[in-house]
Amino acid sequence: MKITSSSDSRLPLYQRLSDEWLAKIASGEWQPGEAIPTEAELTQHYGVAVGTVRKAIDCLVNDGLLERNQGRGTFVRRPQFDASFFRFFRQLPATGEQGIPESHILSNRITAPSATVRHALELDADEKVVHLKRLRTIRNGRRFYEDIWLPAKAFHRLAELQPDEFDPLLYPFYEAQCGQIIASAQETLSISTAHDEVAERLQLAEGTPTVRVERIARGYNRKPLEYRIAQGPTEGFRYQIDIN
């Protein structure tokens, strides 16, 4: 079976196989949570050595797109969404106890992006975005104010909803409403200061130090689907990350 991926033919065979399977995941042909064909089936289908198939699978496992389940097979990995304050980042109070966060969408509209947002989402000059403003609260205390930008072509449906129609966890909501699945994200943590709307929403004095989290979230095809900037007070802030 000929590899139909558009990847460079000069690439190693296992990489071209990996790229082809990535395309199947991105297109939905291989669904999140479902098993992919067995190594024996893939070997026979593509007419390649089993070692080549395993190496191609390893690439996608290492990228977090597939996961092996001993005795059951290899599955398209579905990101898990729990009650932590962020899916990829957590904020904990000084006691270390976790609470259930509440989310309040303040506004949702289609607008023209700034140059920074356009660059982060890799948009063409004439493309627009859905801009969400959201306040995250926990135990009745204000924690993070978020600006979230999404490509309007894929997420225009969100601009048609009422703010109270949004779910607290946005990533499953994106999938349910727009068919867009977040597969990974990269975050940059820095220290900033609260001004204008951020200060007002967080009820902080102008110039109060804040934690600033900048996130770019991507789909299975590695294209940006979300650009987010979140800010919250540094007081009582504790950063925790699990390293596996």
Side-chain angles (χ1 to χ4, degrees), residues 131-148:
H131 183 193
L132 307 179
K133 295 184 179 183
R134 185 167 74 150
L135 189 65
R136 308 294 305 273
T137 63
I138 186 169
R139 298 192 181 192
N140 297 321
R142 297 179 186 272
R143 282 298 179 265
F144 272 85
Y145 171 74
E146 298 175 321
D147 279 300
I148 301 168

Side-chain angles (χ1 to χ4, degrees), residues 81-115:
F81 303 99
D82 52 31
S84 62
F85 195 70
F86 284 103
R87 167 63 183 88
F88 300 94
F89 180 91
R90 296 181 181 179
Q91 187 197 11
L92 303 177
T95 61
E97 299 176 358
Q98 295 187 42
I100 303 300
E102 295 181 1
S103 299
H104 307 274
I105 297 292
L106 305 173
S107 66
N108 52 313
R109 63 190 183 95
I110 293 178
T111 186
S114 67

Side-chain angles (χ1 to χ4, degrees), residues 118-239:
R118 182 180 298 111
H119 176 75
L121 292 176
E122 300 176 8
L123 301 175
D124 294 333
D126 60 344
E127 289 190 79
K128 295 195 174 183
V129 295
V130 175
H131 183 193
L132 307 179
K133 295 184 179 183
R134 185 167 74 150
L135 189 65
R136 308 294 305 273
T137 63
I138 186 169
R139 298 192 181 192
N140 297 321
R142 297 179 186 272
R143 282 298 179 265
F144 272 85
Y145 171 74
E146 298 175 321
D147 279 300
I148 301 168
W149 296 271
L150 308 149
K153 283 184 179 179
F155 292 93
H156 59 87
R157 159 78 176 147
L158 300 184
E160 302 168 2
L161 302 176
Q162 295 300 313
D164 60 3
E165 293 183 274
F166 283 76
D167 289 345
L169 292 176
L170 286 180
Y171 290 173
F173 192 67
Y174 293 166
E175 182 179 358
Q177 294 291 326
C178 306
Q180 301 295 326
I181 300 176
I182 301 296
S184 63
Q186 181 182 56
E187 288 189 334
T188 302
L189 175 68
S190 61
I191 301 300
S192 185
T193 52
H195 294 289
D196 303 325
E197 187 171 11
V198 173
E200 178 184 353
R201 295 295 185 182
L202 296 176
Q203 297 183 344
L204 300 174
E206 289 278 336
T208 299
T210 61
V211 176
R212 184 179 188 273
V213 184
E214 182 178 7
R215 176 190 298 181
I216 297 178
R218 301 176 184 274
Y220 283 111
N221 60 1
R222 301 192 178 102
K223 291 184 179 179
L225 290 177
E226 179 197 73
Y227 178 56
R228 180 185 307 204
I229 294 177
Q231 283 186 254
T234 57
E235 183 179 1
F237 177 81
R238 178 184 175 191
Y239 176 76

Side-chain angles (χ1 to χ4, degrees), residues 12-100:
L13 182 56
Y14 76 87
Q15 184 63 64
R16 291 161 57 199
L17 277 174
S18 179
D19 288 345
E20 173 146 328
W21 299 341
L22 174 60
K24 290 180 181 294
I25 296 170
S27 69
E29 183 177 343
W30 287 1
Q31 288 285 321
E34 294 183 357
I36 69 170
T38 66
E39 290 182 358
E41 290 170 336
L42 291 170
T43 297
Q44 182 177 14
H45 182 75
Y46 288 98
V48 297
V50 66
T52 301
V53 166
R54 286 177 183 166
K55 198 167 184 179
I57 291 174
D58 285 342
C59 288
L60 296 177
V61 169
N62 293 337
D63 285 344
L65 300 177
L66 295 179
E67 57 185 355
R68 290 187 172 93
N69 190 317
Q70 185 144 13
R72 296 186 59 218
T74 302
F75 293 76
V76 179
R77 181 179 174 273
R78 174 180 286 279
Q80 299 299 308
F81 303 99
D82 52 31
S84 62
F85 195 70
F86 284 103
R87 167 63 183 88
F88 300 94
F89 180 91
R90 296 181 181 179
Q91 187 197 11
L92 303 177
T95 61
E97 299 176 358
Q98 295 187 42
I100 303 300

